[in-house]
Amino acid sequence: MNFPNDLMYTKSHEWIKMQEDGTALVGLSDYAQDALGDLVFVNLPEAGDEVAAGEPVADVESVKAVSDVYSPLTGVVDAINDNLLDTPEAINEAPYDAWFIKVRDITDKEELMDAEAYEAFLKTIEE
């Protein structure tokens, strides 16, 4: 599995990439997409929606189940990745290119982990 060092991660398996303009991209980690299996549907919020750290912001449907995607940040949805609506399989193919939302006006964050801490966390839940 791949966990890029330039990203931060949550215990609910989302990744965050901070942008130079103060916004952040949010997506599902390689671990999450692998555990979910083949994704067939994505439900995203709308630009302008407020999101809260730790609260559901989207959901994904796989051949196994429907799962919530949690916002690691409190802020406002600046943009959504429309491509995922037509090609949810892009999340399985390249999870770190398949961002779900871009968040602006960030006021709060969940406890975030760097790649090394996230990999250590995954070892604790796989035992």
Side-chain angles (χ1 to χ4, degrees):
M1 290 206 184
N2 178 26
F3 306 108
N5 289 325
D6 63 334
L7 304 177
M8 300 298 288
Y9 302 87
T10 68
K11 288 183 177 180
S12 55
H13 310 293
E14 290 80 20
W15 59 260
I16 302 90
K17 182 172 187 172
M18 296 304 297
Q19 306 290 290
E20 289 182 17
D21 64 0
T23 63
L25 298 177
V26 177
L28 278 180
S29 74
D30 195 13
Y31 175 87
Q33 71 77 25
D34 185 64
L36 290 167
D38 293 335
L39 295 172
V40 296
F41 181 77
V42 177
N43 185 28
L44 298 173
E46 294 186 21
D49 285 356
E50 293 185 4
V51 294
E55 296 294 318
V57 68
D59 56 72
V60 292
E61 184 176 334
S62 71
V63 293
K64 296 180 182 179
V66 176
S67 300
D68 285 331
V69 177
Y70 295 91
S71 179
L73 310 165
T74 298
V76 177
V77 177
D78 192 49
I80 63 167
N81 187 348
D82 289 325
N83 296 334
L84 296 183
L85 300 175
D86 295 325
T87 56
E89 64 274 10
I91 301 162
N92 295 116
E93 294 164 4
Y96 301 113
D97 293 331
W99 57 275
F100 282 52
I101 59 172
K102 180 191 262 190
V103 180
R104 63 176 160 84
D105 302 336
I106 298 167
T107 59
D108 192 23
K109 296 178 186 173
E110 273 195 26
E111 186 177 325
L112 303 177
M113 297 174 274
D114 62 19
E116 186 178 330
Y118 182 61
E119 287 188 74
F121 167 71
L122 291 178
K123 287 178 183 167
T124 69
I125 61 174
E126 291 172 349
E127 293 175 351

